[in-house]
Amino acid sequence: MEMRLEVVQVPVADVDKAKSFYTDRLGFVLDHDVEYIPGMRVVQLTPPGSATSIVIGTGMTSMQPGILEGLQLVVPDMASARSELLERGAEISEVQDMGGVLFAYFGDPDGNRWVLQEATRPDATEVLQP
């Protein structure tokens, strides 16, 4: 059996505001923005280089906007990724070093909370083991 997580729903209150945030501030690629049936709008966005997309929209979920937290975006270089996000106008925390693994945090306009993680170097896993 094979299973791949390819799409995650992110609940938002204002689809156009969220779409702008994810494309303009974070650089996500807009895959499609369609209204399949009246009242059901599906906007699919993919982080650059990712095999997994997010979906925002209307008429798809009963989740309240801002409820998600801990979705992680893994980047090869934290300093350059954070710098680019700041240049695009995203508000992102200072970098935290958790024993050789770097993290930074940000939220979307609805308060859904994201984690930016630098890809773990092979030598960092040795530090993390007891």
Side-chain angles (χ1 to χ4, degrees), residues 25-36:
R25 301 272 193 248
L26 300 185
F28 283 27
V29 175
L30 174 64
D31 299 322
H32 60 263
D33 181 348
V34 296
E35 188 170 0
Y36 290 109

Side-chain angles (χ1 to χ4, degrees), residues 50-100:
S50 180
T52 303
S53 302
I54 65 167
V55 170
I56 60 176
T58 57
M60 298 182 299
T61 182
S62 61
M63 288 189 291
Q64 294 299 308
I67 196 168
L68 289 183
E69 63 178 68
L71 294 174
Q72 289 190 231
L73 296 168
V74 179
V75 297
D77 180 327
M78 176 66 78
S80 65
R82 185 175 179 277
S83 177
E84 183 175 335
L85 291 174
L86 289 170
E87 287 174 18
R88 290 173 159 274
E91 293 181 21
I92 188 163
S93 74
E94 293 295 324
V95 176
Q96 295 181 6
D97 185 334
M98 304 290 200

Side-chain angles (χ1 to χ4, degrees), residues 6-58:
E6 293 189 359
V7 180
V8 176
Q9 287 188 24
V10 176
V12 300
D14 183 326
V15 177
D16 290 319
K17 185 176 181 180
K19 176 182 165 184
S20 177
F21 171 80
Y22 285 105
T23 57
D24 299 340
R25 301 272 193 248
L26 300 185
F28 283 27
V29 175
L30 174 64
D31 299 322
H32 60 263
D33 181 348
V34 296
E35 188 170 0
Y36 290 109
I37 57 174
M40 184 179 186
R41 180 178 174 192
V42 178
V43 179
Q44 184 168 324
L45 304 142
T46 303
S50 180
T52 303
S53 302
I54 65 167
V55 170
I56 60 176
T58 57

